[in-house]
Amino acid sequence: MAHSLPPSTELTAVNKVIDEKFVDIYTADKEAARLLDNGRTFAGVKARVFVAALGSHSYSSGIHHVRIRVDKGSPFLGIRSRSIPLVLCEGSAGRHCDSPSAYGWSVTNATVRNGIFHAEVENRRPGGDIYTLTLDCDQRRLGLVNENTNEQYEIEVDIHHTPFPWCLLSEYSNSDKTTTTTTTVNMSNRVGPDESVEVNSNTTRLQRLYAQFRKQKLLWIVFLVICIDVVISVVTITVLMNKSEREKTSTMDIATPTSSSIPSLTTTSSSSSSSTTTSTTTSEQLIPSGIIDKNTKWKKNAITVAGGHEAGSELNQLNEPWGIHVDNDDHSIYIADRNNHRIVRWEFGAKNGTVVAGGNGPGNEMDQLTQPTDVVLDKEKKYLIICDYKNRRVIRWSLQNSQDHQVLIPGILCYGLAMDSNGDLYISDYEAQQVIRWQQGNQKSNTVAGGNGDGDQFNQLDEPRYIFVDKDHSVYIADYMNNRVMKWIKNATEGSLIAPGQVFNENPNTMVRPKGVIVDHEGNIYMSSDGNHQITLWSPGAIQGTPVIGEKQSGHEPTQFQDPHDLSFDQQGNLYVVDRNNHRIQKFAIDRD
């Protein structure tokens, strides 16, 4: 049953979405609705036709507020799961908000939960009313506030019916039987919390002059900010160039050693009669010995090494990336660009990426991918191996021949990948609750962890996510629903608890829904988790994690994340984080100061 939210002045304190808009319309009559003002306005022009529109953003963590003005009509305002196709349910009378993943309000008369209408809202027809819709992903709640009347409602969202990511859903039907009316739903993000809302279009001349003055003032402010940025950039570049020259000079003064003394991920052969060093790196997930331990620090401000230009499909953009593989030899990163259905290779320092697999739209043909979740290189670095999640397969993709594709494992809901020093492939099977090992040339795979149904016993897993394999071929597993990280040594029949689950309300640093996991040579675990915007360190035997990067609040600043996912180190000890909902890959340089 609906109950009161906190006052609306508190609602805008967490995260006000400023660039939400409608992007897709669903209706049986294509002439029944239009998107105007670059998607900010959703307008209907025909009577007695149900029309739905989805928002452009995806929400999986944090608290978000979207302000919407309803000029006419009585639409549904709420959310649905973006991962579930938008189809009409049998007996739904043409309404898309009858979908089981729909939650929200028909703003005049009903609350909608799981697509079922409950008459719990006061029957008042809005006209020019402004609503604040609050999406609390962390607590799985929705809130709605009518700013004109201060009517406030809140409902809980069943995550099993409406899995992440969520997206905005609005739907209406003009009820006039004899005439065609217009229903308009307006994204009023541009109406700030301290600005007035224009209800009457007959604005006075004084108001127009004041608005023009404010626009000109804003332009001058923007101009001054740009000038300041240019000056700072010039000074910064000059300092860096001078520093680079000094470093080059220093490097030239050092004699070439006969063998490498720097810890690395490489296997090195050298002799005193030659100054040439030959290196070949395997795909094993080794962390630089002696570089990283529990006392290691990283710079607080990250460098965006891929994406970061909002969600999109251009070569300088990503759309909800999930998994990464860092190739130290090739100085590049391979990215599972999930919602673009492609794998992108991004060289260190490059402004754009290169599509190396998929990118031909979603589908199950051999040249297509559908929502890939992870990617690794094989031992010889000739092939990509990809978790083709929605196609339920693990596929091998040649880097040298664009026509050379092969399904290695069909019928598997693959989530994460890892490879050991022998070139054996490890796959977390999200649906079968297990991790398997697949060896080149073998027709069958072996279960190395779980496989005993979902549960919290030490021989069980529950929705395993990303995995890590160490030098001894022990497997570390982010056991998502069990709120723990498990370690299965080679040939074990059950795992051991490495990072324990706890009750969330008793300890703010307790592990909740782990996703990404990597391990250093001392056995310290570095982990991302659902609803936590920090990467935490769990030392062996620790009862709680210690934040190493990120902040408590989500955001898009260099120190912040929005739903961090997969993790990786390079051979220098720099930490890479997939910042999923900021559509970027962040590099945190190791702090040697």
Side-chain angles (χ1 to χ4, degrees), residues 359-373:
N360 300 308
N364 60 6
E365 299 297 328
M366 289 302 294
D367 65 341
Q368 292 180 302
L369 302 171
T370 303
Q371 295 190 351
T373 55

Side-chain angles (χ1 to χ4, degrees), residues 44-68:
V45 296
K46 286 194 177 182
R48 303 186 65 79
V49 177
F50 284 101
V51 182
L54 298 184
S56 62
H57 276 270
S58 295
Y59 304 94
S60 298
S61 63
I63 304 174
H64 312 274
H65 308 296
V66 182
R67 302 182 78 212
I68 303 174

Side-chain angles (χ1 to χ4, degrees), residues 382-535:
K382 295 180 179 179
Y383 292 91
L384 295 172
I385 301 175
I386 304 165
C387 267
D388 193 4
Y389 182 76
K390 280 298 181 71
N391 284 328
R392 303 176 67 90
R393 64 190 182 187
V394 177
I395 190 169
R396 187 177 70 175
W397 204 292
S398 174
L399 291 172
Q400 301 170 346
N401 183 353
S402 61
Q403 304 302 314
D404 184 3
H405 316 138
Q406 179 187 357
V407 176
L408 298 181
I409 307 174
I412 180 173
L413 201 59
C414 168
Y415 198 101
L417 297 171
M419 185 168 287
D420 66 21
S421 56
N422 295 329
D424 294 344
L425 180 66
Y426 296 74
I427 308 107
S428 62
D429 189 338
Y430 181 84
E431 186 175 52
Q433 319 296 347
Q434 64 182 2
V435 176
I436 63 174
R437 182 177 67 238
W438 183 87
Q439 294 174 300
Q440 183 71 30
N442 289 358
Q443 296 298 319
K444 293 184 179 180
S445 58
N446 299 317
T447 299
V448 296
N452 298 300
D454 62 307
D456 59 3
Q457 300 301 308
F458 279 13
N459 67 341
Q460 294 178 306
L461 301 170
D462 195 347
E463 296 188 11
R465 298 296 176 96
Y466 288 109
I467 56 178
F468 179 92
V469 179
D470 68 12
K471 61 182 177 61
D472 298 319
H473 301 174
S474 296
V475 184
Y476 295 77
I477 306 162
D479 194 4
Y480 182 77
M481 293 301 293
N482 283 327
N483 299 325
R484 65 190 185 185
V485 172
M486 299 294 290
K487 177 182 178 181
W488 288 64
I489 64 174
K490 190 174 182 179
N491 300 323
T493 57
E494 67 176 30
S496 57
L497 184 63
I498 300 300
Q502 299 283 342
V503 179
F504 181 79
N505 290 333
E506 293 180 0
N507 190 336
N509 288 319
T510 294
M511 181 182 300
V512 176
R513 302 289 192 264
K515 292 182 295 189
V517 58
I518 50 177
V519 186
D520 67 23
H521 72 286
E522 292 184 347
N524 301 302
I525 296 170
Y526 303 83
M527 188 197 69
S528 63
S529 57
D530 211 2
N532 187 0
H533 311 295
Q534 296 174 305
I535 305 304

Side-chain angles (χ1 to χ4, degrees), residues 107-120:
V107 295
T108 59
N109 60 2
T111 299
V112 179
R113 293 190 292 269
N114 299 135
I116 301 174
F117 281 63
H118 304 269
E120 299 171 350

Side-chain angles (χ1 to χ4, degrees), residues 77-362:
L77 301 177
I79 63 161
R80 71 180 316 277
S81 174
R82 191 178 291 281
S83 63
I84 298 176
L86 185 62
V87 295
L88 289 175
C89 297
E90 185 176 353
S92 67
R95 290 191 300 253
H96 293 82
C97 57
D98 285 346
S99 166
S101 77
Y103 275 79
W105 292 268
S106 175
V107 295
T108 59
N109 60 2
T111 299
V112 179
R113 293 190 292 269
N114 299 135
I116 301 174
F117 281 63
H118 304 269
E120 299 171 350
V121 179
E122 180 182 351
N123 189 10
R124 179 186 182 278
R125 185 165 300 279
D129 283 4
I130 293 179
Y131 293 85
T132 295
L133 181 66
T134 299
L135 287 66
D136 187 343
C137 302
D138 298 339
Q139 299 298 321
R140 277 70 165 170
R141 290 179 178 272
L142 284 186
L144 184 71
V145 176
N146 185 323
E147 297 183 14
N148 297 59
T149 65
N150 203 33
E151 294 169 290
Q152 304 175 7
Y153 303 95
E154 187 179 74
I155 54 177
E156 293 185 4
V157 179
D158 187 342
I159 200 66
H160 296 290
H161 289 91
T162 311
F164 293 127
W166 296 343
C167 66
L168 185 68
L169 171 64
S170 180
E171 183 167 31
Y172 72 88
S173 172
N174 292 329
S175 59
D176 195 318
K177 300 180 181 180
T178 59
T179 62
T180 299
T181 61
T182 300
T183 297
T184 303
V185 181
N186 217 339
M187 287 291 185
S188 56
N189 311 79
R190 72 191 76 187
V191 182
D194 299 322
E195 298 176 339
S196 60
V197 180
E198 182 185 24
V199 178
N200 189 339
S201 60
N202 297 320
T203 312
T204 65
R205 182 178 181 183
L206 180 60
Q207 287 174 314
R208 291 196 298 271
L209 289 173
Y210 177 65
Q212 185 176 4
F213 168 75
R214 292 188 61 183
K215 290 180 181 178
Q216 292 177 345
K217 181 180 178 181
L218 179 61
L219 288 174
W220 277 109
I221 292 174
V222 171
F223 176 74
L224 289 174
V225 169
I226 292 174
C227 290
I228 293 172
D229 285 344
V230 170
V231 172
I232 293 175
S233 298
V234 171
V235 172
T236 302
I237 291 171
T238 302
V239 171
L240 290 176
M241 290 178 64
N242 291 337
K243 180 180 178 181
S244 177
E245 289 298 326
R246 289 196 301 269
E247 289 177 348
K248 289 180 180 178
T249 303
S250 177
T251 302
M252 293 173 62
D253 292 339
I254 299 175
T256 303
T258 58
S259 63
S260 174
S261 62
I262 301 175
S264 69
L265 297 183
T266 61
T267 302
T268 304
S269 61
S270 61
S271 64
S272 58
S273 61
S274 172
S275 62
T276 302
T277 301
T278 303
S279 301
T280 57
T281 304
T282 72
S283 294
E284 186 177 6
Q285 293 176 287
L286 297 182
I287 302 303
S289 177
I291 292 182
I292 300 175
D293 57 33
K294 65 180 180 180
N295 298 315
T296 300
K297 305 293 183 183
W298 288 269
K299 303 288 187 182
K300 292 184 178 180
N301 288 284
I303 301 170
T304 299
V305 295
H309 300 284
E310 300 184 342
S313 58
E314 299 298 325
L315 291 179
N316 68 339
Q317 294 178 304
L318 300 170
N319 191 347
E320 292 194 11
W322 277 41
I324 56 171
H325 177 85
V326 177
D327 183 8
N328 291 284
D329 290 342
D330 199 28
H331 304 291
S332 59
I333 309 171
Y334 292 87
I335 306 165
D337 191 6
R338 187 173 189 262
N339 284 354
N340 281 326
H341 316 288
R342 66 189 185 185
I343 305 299
V344 180
R345 176 179 174 269
W346 214 296
E347 293 185 5
F348 294 165
K351 295 182 179 180
N352 296 331
T354 303
V355 178
V356 292
N360 300 308

